[in-house]
Amino acid sequence: MEEKIPITFEDAEDSSRYGEMVLVKPGDTLLPIGYRRLASTFYNFEYRNDDICLITYPKSGTNWTAQILWGMTHINELQRATTQSVESRLFILDNDFLHDVSEKDYMERLRAKRPEAREEDGPVLQLAALEKGRRLLWSHLPFNLHNPNILDKCKVVYVMRHPKDNMFSRYMHFIKIEQATIQYMAENFMTGNVTYGSYWHHVNEAWKRRDHPNLHIMFYEDMKADIMAELKKLSQFLGTSLTEEQLKRVAELTSFNNMKDHPTMVVNIQGLQGSFLHKGEVGSSKGQLPPELDAQMDAWIKDNALRVDPAFRYLS
Ligand code: A3P
């Protein structure tokens, strides 16, 4: 019998744009319909004390941070990052409902370990559960859809990015797949009518947990300003005790240009390898929005920023 979880579902008003979607409550998180049957597995996922879990709202620098985390925990085998796919090195849990898993080799890998395994139970979730070694987990689900004990069990890294750049990055990603105007994308972004729902719900879920010793919040803007300083703080949080020279190697491995050159360092979505790497800059949205829309977004940010802690930076 399915265990009861404090999550409910509503039909999404307009599913046409992204395929069939479901509205997940509380939080009004819009997700692909495939999430529904896996919600309980996600919510009850057993985290372990040596796990490192990366949680982000999409387009905040997930791929970058994922490679950093992998590099820091695999310092003596960094060359693997340029030859083995990111999906084979990290558990991208949401792939179980985001993409057609049959396009990946997950089932092959899973059946080698568990011949009776079923695709509908989520191959990545099952592969992660079967993993004996230390796990690097990655998810875009907001905190309220994860096991409530996640922070008591393992270390979580959360990355935030300015909402306007975040929206623009999403726009640059999606115009490669489908037609969309910046106006349409921005309006949907502001109403939370995008995959993973409201930006504010997502960041607030992390921000309200910020004092937990197992949560490390990073800002994309800080990473761009001084990556070594951020790597040092991250290394301390993870307890990896890496030397300055080793951290420099991680920074070099995960530099924008290196990631752009190695498709193994970004997830491949719908054949668009490297599509996550547009400019990789702070302020990428500047001058890109029609003035009226720009002003509308500024007002939206100002209004919502009031509801989060004033210490939340990079909102203007
Ligand atoms: P842009 O679209 O502004 O270029 P995510 O991985 O969460 O989807 O985020 C994608 C954004 O992170 C993209 O932003 C991408 O360029 C940026 N990014 C990825 N790797 C990076 C790196 N090594 N340095 C700086 N930005 C990076």
Side-chain angles (χ1 to χ4, degrees):
M1 203 184 66
E2 212 175 275
E3 245 180 278
K4 188 103 184 78
I5 56 170
I7 293 173
T8 56
F9 305 96
E10 273 180 23
D11 292 341
E13 257 174 44
D14 171 19
S15 281
S16 55
R17 191 171 160 71
Y18 312 103
E20 202 181 344
M21 306 290 279
V22 66
L23 197 61
V24 184
K25 289 178 175 275
D28 286 344
T29 303
L30 189 66
L31 290 172
I33 190 74
Y35 166 75
R36 192 176 176 145
R37 69 183 147 75
L38 295 171
S40 168
T41 317
F42 271 96
Y43 195 81
N44 293 305
F45 188 81
E46 286 181 27
Y47 292 96
R48 303 176 192 151
N49 62 12
D50 62 344
D51 285 339
I52 300 173
C53 189
L54 171 64
I55 300 182
T56 62
Y57 187 71
K59 314 312 291 178
S60 303
T62 326
N63 283 267
W64 185 13
T65 315
Q67 294 306 327
I68 289 172
L69 292 173
W70 187 88
M72 283 184 157
T73 49
H74 295 80
I75 196 69
N76 294 321
E77 39 185 331
L78 292 187
Q79 74 295 340
R80 271 177 56 207
T82 58
T83 56
Q84 295 178 353
S85 72
V86 57
E87 288 99 337
S88 68
R89 292 178 287 117
L90 288 105
F91 294 99
I92 306 177
L93 301 177
D94 301 13
N95 272 356
D96 280 350
F97 62 81
L98 276 184
H99 307 297
D100 182 358
V101 286
S102 60
E103 280 175 14
K104 315 266 179 193
D105 66 351
Y106 294 136
M107 280 313 291
E108 247 169 76
R109 283 160 54 199
L110 180 57
R111 291 226 168 94
K113 294 182 175 195
R114 220 173 139 239
E116 72 282 15
R118 304 182 320 162
E119 191 172 303
E120 56 269 37
D121 295 331
V124 185
L125 285 160
Q126 294 177 79
L127 276 168
L130 288 168
E131 176 63 43
K132 299 263 190 296
R134 182 179 211 179
R135 303 180 300 184
L136 293 181
L137 308 161
W138 147 340
S139 174
H140 292 309
L141 291 178
F143 265 97
N144 65 304
L145 303 183
H146 287 278
N147 193 323
N149 72 11
I150 183 169
L151 285 172
D152 298 325
K153 289 278 180 179
C154 70
K155 291 195 192 300
V156 178
V157 176
Y158 186 90
V159 187
M160 293 187 189
R161 185 181 190 185
H162 188 286
K164 231 195 277 180
D165 287 353
N166 186 303
M167 183 283 297
F168 189 66
S169 179
R170 195 190 273 252
Y171 169 69
M172 291 310 292
H173 179 161
F174 277 100
I175 52 168
K176 292 185 183 160
I177 301 171
E178 53 186 298
Q179 296 296 315
T181 61
I182 184 92
Q183 183 84 29
Y184 185 92
M185 176 57 86
E187 281 170 4
N188 280 288
F189 189 86
M190 286 189 278
T191 54
N193 187 27
V194 289
T195 311
Y196 291 102
S198 154
Y199 172 90
W200 297 111
H201 170 69
H202 207 290
V203 298
N204 270 318
E205 280 294 308
W207 197 245
K208 68 187 187 196
R209 293 167 168 84
R210 68 189 179 283
D211 292 331
H212 198 293
N214 269 349
L215 176 62
H216 184 70
I217 296 180
M218 297 173 78
F219 289 86
Y220 181 90
E221 289 75 10
D222 287 339
M223 293 165 72
K224 285 294 298 185
D226 188 347
I227 190 63
M228 283 304 287
E230 291 307 306
L231 293 187
K232 278 177 201 163
K233 284 188 250 169
L234 185 57
S235 173
Q236 202 169 14
F237 169 70
L238 298 174
T240 47
S241 317
L242 296 172
T243 64
E244 173 106 12
E245 189 273 326
Q246 286 171 321
L247 292 178
K248 275 190 186 146
R249 280 167 50 212
V250 173
E252 172 60 21
L253 174 83
T254 60
S255 70
F256 186 77
N257 286 340
N258 242 334
M259 286 188 57
K260 208 167 180 124
D261 288 346
H262 293 288
T264 52
M265 285 203 268
V266 279
V267 290
N268 173 358
I269 289 188
Q270 292 169 301
L272 291 174
Q273 276 184 343
S275 65
F276 294 98
L277 304 159
H278 169 231
K279 278 196 174 155
E281 284 172 3
V282 173
S284 59
S285 59
K286 280 211 168 76
Q288 301 291 336
L289 280 68
E292 217 174 288
L293 183 62
D294 203 32
Q296 207 184 329
M297 276 203 91
D298 284 343
W300 170 79
I301 292 170
K302 206 169 159 202
D303 184 33
N304 282 282
L306 289 177
R307 292 185 213 137
V308 293
D309 194 283
F312 185 102
R313 289 166 289 162
Y314 305 118
L315 287 176
S316 54

